[in-house]
């Protein structure tokens, strides 16, 4: 019997954002959905996130934002991902975002933005349907 490889997701916070409850809840729910989750924790740098994604060979990077720094850090993470040829890694973000910032984030290359209050099933379904194997 061939065993399917679990989707591997890296969940993290970037910058000085010190609120991680939402990231931990999402990480737990993704585990319950059968995914392998690596939680890096808070205060990460774009370079550190991408290095961990490479080291752990992840399928998805999930960034949790609450601090309002999403337009500062997202382009840096995307640039670092491109520099390291992580075109096959899905990049998603979750947290509190002004609605008008979401098109800008998608334009610079994030795959999907989930605002606070998004149902977990929606996140799981998006990952399952869009992960690049």
């Amino acid at each position: 019997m061939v065993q399917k490889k679990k989707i591997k997701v890296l969940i993290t916070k970037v910058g000085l954002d010190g609120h991680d409850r939402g990231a931990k809840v999402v990480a737990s729910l993704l585990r319950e959905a059968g995914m392998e989750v690596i939680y890096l924790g808070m205060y990460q740098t774009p370079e550190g996130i991408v290095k961990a994604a490479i080291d752990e060979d992840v399928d998805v990077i999930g960034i949790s934002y609450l601090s309002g720094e999403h337009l500062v850090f997202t382009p840096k993470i995307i640039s670092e991902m491109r520099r390291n040829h992580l075109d096959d890694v899905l990049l998603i973000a979750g947290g509190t975002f002004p609605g008008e910032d979401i098109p800008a984030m998608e334009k610079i290359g994030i795959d999907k933005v989930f605002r606070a209050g998004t149902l977990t099933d929606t996140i799981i379904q998006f990952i399952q349907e869009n992960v690049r194997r």
Side-chain angles (χ1 to χ4, degrees):
M1 181 167 113
V2 177
Q3 191 174 22
K4 278 177 63 174
K5 179 186 171 228
K6 283 186 176 185
I7 296 172
K8 192 183 264 191
V9 183
L10 182 142
I11 301 287
T12 190
K13 305 285 291 178
V14 64
L16 297 176
D17 187 344
H19 301 89
D20 67 345
R21 180 176 291 164
K24 287 179 176 176
V25 167
V26 170
S28 176
L29 293 170
L30 294 178
R31 277 188 196 102
E32 288 177 18
M35 298 180 198
E36 182 177 344
V37 179
I38 295 101
Y39 179 66
L40 284 186
M42 300 184 291
Y43 314 121
Q44 301 299 314
T45 65
E47 298 81 9
I49 292 167
V50 171
K51 181 180 182 327
I54 293 166
D55 291 347
E56 296 288 344
D57 191 27
V58 301
D59 302 301
V60 182
I61 297 174
I63 309 294
S64 173
Y65 289 107
L66 190 62
S67 65
E69 296 178 314
H70 50 279
L71 293 179
V72 173
F73 285 112
T74 302
K76 293 178 181 180
I77 293 166
I78 291 169
S79 175
E80 193 68 18
M81 288 176 71
R82 288 181 179 149
R83 191 173 74 72
N84 286 278
H85 310 289
L86 293 184
D87 304 324
D88 58 339
V89 175
L90 195 66
L91 179 64
I92 60 175
T96 55
F97 308 95
E100 60 270 14
D101 288 354
I102 294 173
M105 292 175 71
E106 291 170 342
K107 186 176 181 180
I108 60 172
I110 201 154
D111 292 297
K112 186 69 173 173
V113 176
F114 298 100
R115 293 178 81 185
T118 300
L119 296 175
T120 309
D121 288 345
T122 303
I123 299 168
I124 292 166
Q125 181 177 357
F126 180 84
I127 291 171
Q128 290 172 336
E129 291 176 356
N130 293 281
V131 72
R132 301 169 192 123
R133 299 210 173 228

